[in-house]
Amino acid sequence: MPTMADVARSAGVSVATVSHVLNETRPVLPHTRQAVLDAIDELGYTPNTLARSLVTSRTRSIGLAVSAISNPHFTDILQGVETGALEHGYSLFLADPHDDPVHERKVVQLLHERRVDGMIVAPSADPRELVSYLRRHDVPTVFLDRVVDSPGDESPRFDQVCADSAAPTADLVAHLAGLGHRRIALVAGRPGLSTTRERINGYRYGLAAAGFPYDERLVVHGASESAGGQRATASLLSLAVPPTALVTANNVMTLGALRALSERGLSVPDDMALCCFDDFDWADLFTPRLTAVAQPGKEIGAQAVRLLLERLAVPDRPARTVRLTCTFVHRTSCGCPGEPERSAQPERGIVP
């Protein structure tokens, strides 16, 4: 197996110069750097990551704690994180907190003990222990998909990246209202999550813009899971005056809602118009095809990596919260005929 000394001899430089190229501990002239890289490629040299970490105090690794990895939305996020990390020479340690605050704190501690350079976390509905640990140990961290509110007027302590949730949900409601629906229900996600709160707010904005009153009986939490979405939809169908249109707040709850409608012998959109938050690869294979809000999952993941690397480079810079634009994917489950259309802009711009 070739050694660093072999690389140095092949490139005609000192071992120290090879070390500086590999560890980025000192500037090296471009032609010298290229000679070292060419020698590494020719000899098939593999750097000793452990030894490098002892020199630089960096492991070039990122801890990623994301629940519901099987959810297509989080799969897209994972792909974005992985691609961004590999592009910059970082490896990933992956953990699933299972949306449990106690387990979340444990897995983050385990990742920290692996000496990751920083973390990317999709926080649970109650991230107090998580935030306390990260602050106490000063761990460079980016929250993704779900944001953590700072108390009062306090500035955010962590970088965060997510998709806009309120405006797209408001636009789904407006779209259904424009089709003549007056009783529009929402299958909301797990209570306590920022995404759940924002999508409920967007739902309420949409109703208000359409001139409809808010009826709390038409909002049922589906726990952000398929079975929960099925139960929530069944309870809505059992109302004395059930809704005629339904907005589901994530993709797996959409599947549960479709099961509940099927069990009742109801068809979409003839008996129930349906719009959903989260598009997924097979949404246009359903009959009818699902009208949906598509989140930029891969870009969320890639942006999280960029924010983390910026934090590692400049630890004292102010924290940033980045919100990315969703896409309205217009198909036929809402009751509209015609070919699918995509629009990156909110349909009615209800929420500024």
Side-chain angles (χ1 to χ4, degrees), residues 206-237:
L207 291 178
F212 301 159
Y214 173 73
D215 184 346
E216 63 181 12
R217 294 172 298 179
L218 293 178
V219 177
V220 182
H221 289 275
S224 301
E225 300 171 348
S226 178
Q230 186 172 353
R231 289 191 298 270
T233 303
S235 68
L236 290 167
L237 296 175

PDB file of all heavy atoms in Angstrom, residues 206-237:
ATOM      1  N   GLY A 206     -55.905  30.830   4.123  1.00  0.00           N
ATOM      2  CA  GLY A 206     -56.664  30.532   2.910  1.00  0.00           C
ATOM      3  C   GLY A 206     -58.155  30.658   3.119  1.00  0.00           C
ATOM      4  O   GLY A 206     -58.878  31.196   2.266  1.00  0.00           O
ATOM      5  N   LEU A 207     -58.646  30.155   4.244  1.00  0.00           N
ATOM      6  CA  LEU A 207     -60.068  30.281   4.554  1.00  0.00           C
ATOM      7  C   LEU A 207     -60.465  31.755   4.680  1.00  0.00           C
ATOM      8  O   LEU A 207     -61.496  32.187   4.141  1.00  0.00           O
ATOM      9  CB  LEU A 207     -60.391  29.558   5.861  1.00  0.00           C
ATOM     10  CG  LEU A 207     -60.306  28.030   5.871  1.00  0.00           C
ATOM     11  CD1 LEU A 207     -60.608  27.506   7.276  1.00  0.00           C
ATOM     12  CD2 LEU A 207     -61.273  27.415   4.866  1.00  0.00           C
ATOM     13  N   ALA A 208     -59.655  32.517   5.406  1.00  0.00           N
ATOM     14  CA  ALA A 208     -59.980  33.929   5.618  1.00  0.00           C
ATOM     15  C   ALA A 208     -60.007  34.692   4.298  1.00  0.00           C
ATOM     16  O   ALA A 208     -60.892  35.533   4.066  1.00  0.00           O
ATOM     17  CB  ALA A 208     -58.961  34.557   6.572  1.00  0.00           C
ATOM     18  N   ALA A 209     -59.050  34.395   3.411  1.00  0.00           N
ATOM     19  CA  ALA A 209     -59.011  35.084   2.124  1.00  0.00           C
ATOM     20  C   ALA A 209     -60.229  34.756   1.277  1.00  0.00           C
ATOM     21  O   ALA A 209     -60.693  35.576   0.484  1.00  0.00           O
ATOM     22  CB  ALA A 209     -57.733  34.714   1.377  1.00  0.00           C
ATOM     23  N   ALA A 210     -60.755  33.532   1.453  1.00  0.00           N
ATOM     24  CA  ALA A 210     -61.949  33.127   0.713  1.00  0.00           C
ATOM     25  C   ALA A 210     -63.239  33.601   1.386  1.00  0.00           C
ATOM     26  O   ALA A 210     -64.330  33.416   0.835  1.00  0.00           O
ATOM     27  CB  ALA A 210     -61.970  31.611   0.560  1.00  0.00           C
ATOM     28  N   GLY A 211     -63.109  34.173   2.589  1.00  0.00           N
ATOM     29  CA  GLY A 211     -64.288  34.647   3.311  1.00  0.00           C
ATOM     30  C   GLY A 211     -65.012  33.562   4.075  1.00  0.00           C
ATOM     31  O   GLY A 211     -66.187  33.731   4.430  1.00  0.00           O
ATOM     32  N   PHE A 212     -64.302  32.458   4.382  1.00  0.00           N
ATOM     33  CA  PHE A 212     -64.912  31.346   5.107  1.00  0.00           C
ATOM     34  C   PHE A 212     -64.511  31.406   6.582  1.00  0.00           C
ATOM     35  O   PHE A 212     -63.370  31.741   6.909  1.00  0.00           O
ATOM     36  CB  PHE A 212     -64.472  29.994   4.529  1.00  0.00           C
ATOM     37  CG  PHE A 212     -64.813  29.796   3.074  1.00  0.00           C
ATOM     38  CD1 PHE A 212     -64.122  28.857   2.328  1.00  0.00           C
ATOM     39  CD2 PHE A 212     -65.811  30.537   2.459  1.00  0.00           C
ATOM     40  CE1 PHE A 212     -64.420  28.656   0.992  1.00  0.00           C
ATOM     41  CE2 PHE A 212     -66.123  30.348   1.121  1.00  0.00           C
ATOM     42  CZ  PHE A 212     -65.413  29.416   0.389  1.00  0.00           C
ATOM     43  N   PRO A 213     -65.407  31.042   7.475  1.00  0.00           N
ATOM     44  CA  PRO A 213     -65.040  30.982   8.889  1.00  0.00           C
ATOM     45  C   PRO A 213     -64.172  29.751   9.174  1.00  0.00           C
ATOM     46  O   PRO A 213     -64.234  28.747   8.455  1.00  0.00           O
ATOM     47  CB  PRO A 213     -66.391  30.871   9.601  1.00  0.00           C
ATOM     48  CG  PRO A 213     -67.276  30.190   8.596  1.00  0.00           C
ATOM     49  CD  PRO A 213     -66.832  30.695   7.248  1.00  0.00           C
ATOM     50  N   TYR A 214     -63.382  29.842  10.221  1.00  0.00           N
ATOM     51  CA  TYR A 214     -62.572  28.705  10.656  1.00  0.00           C
ATOM     52  C   TYR A 214     -63.416  27.817  11.552  1.00  0.00           C
ATOM     53  O   TYR A 214     -64.035  28.281  12.508  1.00  0.00           O
ATOM     54  CB  TYR A 214     -61.344  29.202  11.424  1.00  0.00           C
ATOM     55  CG  TYR A 214     -60.532  28.091  12.055  1.00  0.00           C
ATOM     56  CD1 TYR A 214     -59.756  27.249  11.275  1.00  0.00           C
ATOM     57  CD2 TYR A 214     -60.559  27.898  13.433  1.00  0.00           C
ATOM     58  CE1 TYR A 214     -59.007  26.234  11.851  1.00  0.00           C
ATOM     59  CE2 TYR A 214     -59.808  26.886  14.021  1.00  0.00           C
ATOM     60  CZ  TYR A 214     -59.033  26.059  13.231  1.00  0.00           C
ATOM     61  OH  TYR A 214     -58.306  25.051  13.803  1.00  0.00           O
ATOM     62  N   ASP A 215     -63.465  26.525  11.237  1.00  0.00           N
ATOM     63  CA  ASP A 215     -64.220  25.547  12.019  1.00  0.00           C
ATOM     64  C   ASP A 215     -63.221  24.506  12.523  1.00  0.00           C
ATOM     65  O   ASP A 215     -62.686  23.719  11.737  1.00  0.00           O
ATOM     66  CB  ASP A 215     -65.293  24.891  11.145  1.00  0.00           C
ATOM     67  CG  ASP A 215     -66.196  23.931  11.922  1.00  0.00           C
ATOM     68  OD1 ASP A 215     -65.834  23.564  13.061  1.00  0.00           O
ATOM     69  OD2 ASP A 215     -67.242  23.537  11.375  1.00  0.00           O
ATOM     70  N   GLU A 216     -62.961  24.510  13.829  1.00  0.00           N
ATOM     71  CA  GLU A 216     -61.939  23.614  14.375  1.00  0.00           C
ATOM     72  C   GLU A 216     -62.271  22.147  14.165  1.00  0.00           C
ATOM     73  O   GLU A 216     -61.375  21.295  14.191  1.00  0.00           O
ATOM     74  CB  GLU A 216     -61.736  23.888  15.862  1.00  0.00           C
ATOM     75  CG  GLU A 216     -62.943  23.629  16.724  1.00  0.00           C
ATOM     76  CD  GLU A 216     -62.683  23.942  18.187  1.00  0.00           C
ATOM     77  OE1 GLU A 216     -61.649  24.574  18.497  1.00  0.00           O
ATOM     78  OE2 GLU A 216     -63.511  23.549  19.021  1.00  0.00           O
ATOM     79  N   ARG A 217     -63.546  21.819  13.935  1.00  0.00           N
ATOM     80  CA  ARG A 217     -63.924  20.428  13.688  1.00  0.00           C
ATOM     81  C   ARG A 217     -63.375  19.920  12.355  1.00  0.00           C
ATOM     82  O   ARG A 217     -63.276  18.702  12.144  1.00  0.00           O
ATOM     83  CB  ARG A 217     -65.440  20.275  13.711  1.00  0.00           C
ATOM     84  CG  ARG A 217     -66.088  20.532  15.077  1.00  0.00           C
ATOM     85  CD  ARG A 217     -67.588  20.564  14.973  1.00  0.00           C
ATOM     86  NE  ARG A 217     -68.030  21.661  14.110  1.00  0.00           N
ATOM     87  CZ  ARG A 217     -69.310  21.926  13.820  1.00  0.00           C
ATOM     88  NH1 ARG A 217     -70.265  21.158  14.313  1.00  0.00           N
ATOM     89  NH2 ARG A 217     -69.617  22.948  13.043  1.00  0.00           N
ATOM     90  N   LEU A 218     -63.012  20.837  11.476  1.00  0.00           N
ATOM     91  CA  LEU A 218     -62.503  20.450  10.159  1.00  0.00           C
ATOM     92  C   LEU A 218     -60.980  20.329  10.132  1.00  0.00           C
ATOM     93  O   LEU A 218     -60.387  20.119   9.072  1.00  0.00           O
ATOM     94  CB  LEU A 218     -62.959  21.458   9.102  1.00  0.00           C
ATOM     95  CG  LEU A 218     -64.464  21.478   8.818  1.00  0.00           C
ATOM     96  CD1 LEU A 218     -64.803  22.548   7.783  1.00  0.00           C
ATOM     97  CD2 LEU A 218     -64.954  20.108   8.348  1.00  0.00           C
ATOM     98  N   VAL A 219     -60.337  20.447  11.280  1.00  0.00           N
ATOM     99  CA  VAL A 219     -58.884  20.246  11.382  1.00  0.00           C
ATOM    100  C   VAL A 219     -58.627  19.083  12.332  1.00  0.00           C
ATOM    101  O   VAL A 219     -58.950  19.154  13.524  1.00  0.00           O
ATOM    102  CB  VAL A 219     -58.170  21.511  11.895  1.00  0.00           C
ATOM    103  CG1 VAL A 219     -56.673  21.240  12.048  1.00  0.00           C
ATOM    104  CG2 VAL A 219     -58.393  22.676  10.945  1.00  0.00           C
ATOM    105  N   VAL A 220     -58.072  18.002  11.802  1.00  0.00           N
ATOM    106  CA  VAL A 220     -57.798  16.814  12.609  1.00  0.00           C
ATOM    107  C   VAL A 220     -56.335  16.429  12.400  1.00  0.00           C
ATOM    108  O   VAL A 220     -55.844  16.394  11.271  1.00  0.00           O
ATOM    109  CB  VAL A 220     -58.715  15.633  12.210  1.00  0.00           C
ATOM    110  CG1 VAL A 220     -58.441  14.432  13.106  1.00  0.00           C
ATOM    111  CG2 VAL A 220     -60.179  16.043  12.288  1.00  0.00           C
ATOM    112  N   HIS A 221     -55.647  16.137  13.492  1.00  0.00           N
ATOM    113  CA  HIS A 221     -54.233  15.778  13.410  1.00  0.00           C
ATOM    114  C   HIS A 221     -54.065  14.302  13.034  1.00  0.00           C
ATOM    115  O   HIS A 221     -54.700  13.429  13.618  1.00  0.00           O
ATOM    116  CB  HIS A 221     -53.535  16.041  14.741  1.00  0.00           C
ATOM    117  CG  HIS A 221     -53.366  17.498  15.030  1.00  0.00           C
ATOM    118  ND1 HIS A 221     -52.301  18.228  14.554  1.00  0.00           N
ATOM    119  CD2 HIS A 221     -54.145  18.370  15.730  1.00  0.00           C
ATOM    120  CE1 HIS A 221     -52.422  19.483  14.955  1.00  0.00           C
ATOM    121  NE2 HIS A 221     -53.521  19.597  15.670  1.00  0.00           N
ATOM    122  N   GLY A 222     -53.197  14.076  12.061  1.00  0.00           N
ATOM    123  CA  GLY A 222     -52.926  12.717  11.613  1.00  0.00           C
ATOM    124  C   GLY A 222     -51.572  12.189  12.025  1.00  0.00           C
ATOM    125  O   GLY A 222     -51.120  11.166  11.502  1.00  0.00           O
ATOM    126  N   ALA A 223     -50.898  12.882  12.956  1.00  0.00           N
ATOM    127  CA  ALA A 223     -49.626  12.424  13.536  1.00  0.00           C
ATOM    128  C   ALA A 223     -48.516  12.271  12.501  1.00  0.00           C
ATOM    129  O   ALA A 223     -47.517  11.609  12.763  1.00  0.00           O
ATOM    130  CB  ALA A 223     -49.815  11.111  14.294  1.00  0.00           C
ATOM    131  N   SER A 224     -48.681  12.855  11.315  1.00  0.00           N
ATOM    132  CA  SER A 224     -47.667  12.801  10.250  1.00  0.00           C
ATOM    133  C   SER A 224     -47.374  11.380   9.791  1.00  0.00           C
ATOM    134  O   SER A 224     -46.313  11.099   9.238  1.00  0.00           O
ATOM    135  CB  SER A 224     -46.358  13.478  10.710  1.00  0.00           C
ATOM    136  OG  SER A 224     -46.594  14.823  11.064  1.00  0.00           O
ATOM    137  N   GLU A 225     -48.331  10.461  10.002  1.00  0.00           N
ATOM    138  CA  GLU A 225     -48.171   9.051   9.634  1.00  0.00           C
ATOM    139  C   GLU A 225     -49.359   8.583   8.807  1.00  0.00           C
ATOM    140  O   GLU A 225     -50.446   9.154   8.888  1.00  0.00           O
ATOM    141  CB  GLU A 225     -48.057   8.186  10.886  1.00  0.00           C
ATOM    142  CG  GLU A 225     -46.871   8.536  11.766  1.00  0.00           C
ATOM    143  CD  GLU A 225     -46.903   7.805  13.098  1.00  0.00           C
ATOM    144  OE1 GLU A 225     -47.955   7.216  13.424  1.00  0.00           O
ATOM    145  OE2 GLU A 225     -45.882   7.820  13.801  1.00  0.00           O
ATOM    146  N   SER A 226     -49.162   7.520   8.050  1.00  0.00           N
ATOM    147  CA  SER A 226     -50.219   7.002   7.193  1.00  0.00           C
ATOM    148  C   SER A 226     -51.436   6.562   8.006  1.00  0.00           C
ATOM    149  O   SER A 226     -52.572   6.927   7.687  1.00  0.00           O
ATOM    150  CB  SER A 226     -49.700   5.837   6.354  1.00  0.00           C
ATOM    151  OG  SER A 226     -50.725   5.303   5.554  1.00  0.00           O
ATOM    152  N   ALA A 227     -51.197   5.776   9.053  1.00  0.00           N
ATOM    153  CA  ALA A 227     -52.315   5.299   9.865  1.00  0.00           C
ATOM    154  C   ALA A 227     -53.047   6.463  10.520  1.00  0.00           C
ATOM    155  O   ALA A 227     -54.287   6.461  10.628  1.00  0.00           O
ATOM    156  CB  ALA A 227     -51.817   4.319  10.930  1.00  0.00           C
ATOM    157  N   GLY A 228     -52.289   7.466  10.966  1.00  0.00           N
ATOM    158  CA  GLY A 228     -52.913   8.642  11.558  1.00  0.00           C
ATOM    159  C   GLY A 228     -53.733   9.420  10.543  1.00  0.00           C
ATOM    160  O   GLY A 228     -54.814   9.913  10.856  1.00  0.00           O
ATOM    161  N   GLY A 229     -53.230   9.522   9.314  1.00  0.00           N
ATOM    162  CA  GLY A 229     -53.992  10.188   8.261  1.00  0.00           C
ATOM    163  C   GLY A 229     -55.271   9.454   7.939  1.00  0.00           C
ATOM    164  O   GLY A 229     -56.320  10.067   7.658  1.00  0.00           O
ATOM    165  N   GLN A 230     -55.219   8.126   8.011  1.00  0.00           N
ATOM    166  CA  GLN A 230     -56.415   7.321   7.767  1.00  0.00           C
ATOM    167  C   GLN A 230     -57.456   7.555   8.861  1.00  0.00           C
ATOM    168  O   GLN A 230     -58.643   7.752   8.581  1.00  0.00           O
ATOM    169  CB  GLN A 230     -56.032   5.846   7.693  1.00  0.00           C
ATOM    170  CG  GLN A 230     -57.176   4.923   7.305  1.00  0.00           C
ATOM    171  CD  GLN A 230     -56.697   3.491   7.068  1.00  0.00           C
ATOM    172  OE1 GLN A 230     -55.501   3.214   7.074  1.00  0.00           O
ATOM    173  NE2 GLN A 230     -57.621   2.582   6.855  1.00  0.00           N
ATOM    174  N   ARG A 231     -57.012   7.550  10.113  1.00  0.00           N
ATOM    175  CA  ARG A 231     -57.941   7.786  11.224  1.00  0.00           C
ATOM    176  C   ARG A 231     -58.527   9.195  11.172  1.00  0.00           C
ATOM    177  O   ARG A 231     -59.730   9.389  11.399  1.00  0.00           O
ATOM    178  CB  ARG A 231     -57.224   7.575  12.559  1.00  0.00           C
ATOM    179  CG  ARG A 231     -56.887   6.125  12.864  1.00  0.00           C
ATOM    180  CD  ARG A 231     -56.424   5.978  14.309  1.00  0.00           C
ATOM    181  NE  ARG A 231     -55.209   6.743  14.581  1.00  0.00           N
ATOM    182  CZ  ARG A 231     -53.985   6.265  14.435  1.00  0.00           C
ATOM    183  NH1 ARG A 231     -53.803   5.012  14.019  1.00  0.00           N
ATOM    184  NH2 ARG A 231     -52.928   7.012  14.710  1.00  0.00           N
ATOM    185  N   ALA A 232     -57.672  10.173  10.878  1.00  0.00           N
ATOM    186  CA  ALA A 232     -58.145  11.556  10.828  1.00  0.00           C
ATOM    187  C   ALA A 232     -59.194  11.738   9.738  1.00  0.00           C
ATOM    188  O   ALA A 232     -60.223  12.396   9.948  1.00  0.00           O
ATOM    189  CB  ALA A 232     -56.963  12.497  10.591  1.00  0.00           C
ATOM    190  N   THR A 233     -58.950  11.152   8.576  1.00  0.00           N
ATOM    191  CA  THR A 233     -59.907  11.271   7.475  1.00  0.00           C
ATOM    192  C   THR A 233     -61.217  10.578   7.813  1.00  0.00           C
ATOM    193  O   THR A 233     -62.309  11.095   7.527  1.00  0.00           O
ATOM    194  CB  THR A 233     -59.310  10.688   6.186  1.00  0.00           C
ATOM    195  OG1 THR A 233     -58.081  11.360   5.895  1.00  0.00           O
ATOM    196  CG2 THR A 233     -60.265  10.849   5.010  1.00  0.00           C
ATOM    197  N   ALA A 234     -61.124   9.402   8.450  1.00  0.00           N
ATOM    198  CA  ALA A 234     -62.349   8.689   8.844  1.00  0.00           C
ATOM    199  C   ALA A 234     -63.178   9.528   9.804  1.00  0.00           C
ATOM    200  O   ALA A 234     -64.421   9.555   9.705  1.00  0.00           O
ATOM    201  CB  ALA A 234     -61.985   7.352   9.486  1.00  0.00           C
ATOM    202  N   SER A 235     -62.522  10.223  10.722  1.00  0.00           N
ATOM    203  CA  SER A 235     -63.272  11.054  11.663  1.00  0.00           C
ATOM    204  C   SER A 235     -63.922  12.230  10.953  1.00  0.00           C
ATOM    205  O   SER A 235     -65.048  12.638  11.301  1.00  0.00           O
ATOM    206  CB  SER A 235     -62.354  11.547  12.782  1.00  0.00           C
ATOM    207  OG  SER A 235     -61.405  12.466  12.297  1.00  0.00           O
ATOM    208  N   LEU A 236     -63.270  12.790   9.957  1.00  0.00           N
ATOM    209  CA  LEU A 236     -63.873  13.878   9.183  1.00  0.00           C
ATOM    210  C   LEU A 236     -65.080  13.394   8.401  1.00  0.00           C
ATOM    211  O   LEU A 236     -66.095  14.096   8.284  1.00  0.00           O
ATOM    212  CB  LEU A 236     -62.830  14.476   8.234  1.00  0.00           C
ATOM    213  CG  LEU A 236     -61.707  15.286   8.884  1.00  0.00           C
ATOM    214  CD1 LEU A 236     -60.581  15.551   7.882  1.00  0.00           C
ATOM    215  CD2 LEU A 236     -62.251  16.604   9.429  1.00  0.00           C
ATOM    216  N   LEU A 237     -64.993  12.187   7.869  1.00  0.00           N
ATOM    217  CA  LEU A 237     -66.121  11.634   7.105  1.00  0.00           C
ATOM    218  C   LEU A 237     -67.306  11.301   8.003  1.00  0.00           C
ATOM    219  O   LEU A 237     -68.434  11.170   7.514  1.00  0.00           O
ATOM    220  CB  LEU A 237     -65.663  10.382   6.357  1.00  0.00           C
ATOM    221  CG  LEU A 237     -64.586  10.591   5.278  1.00  0.00           C
ATOM    222  CD1 LEU A 237     -64.142   9.256   4.703  1.00  0.00           C
ATOM    223  CD2 LEU A 237     -65.104  11.510   4.180  1.00  0.00           C
TER     224      LEU A 237
END
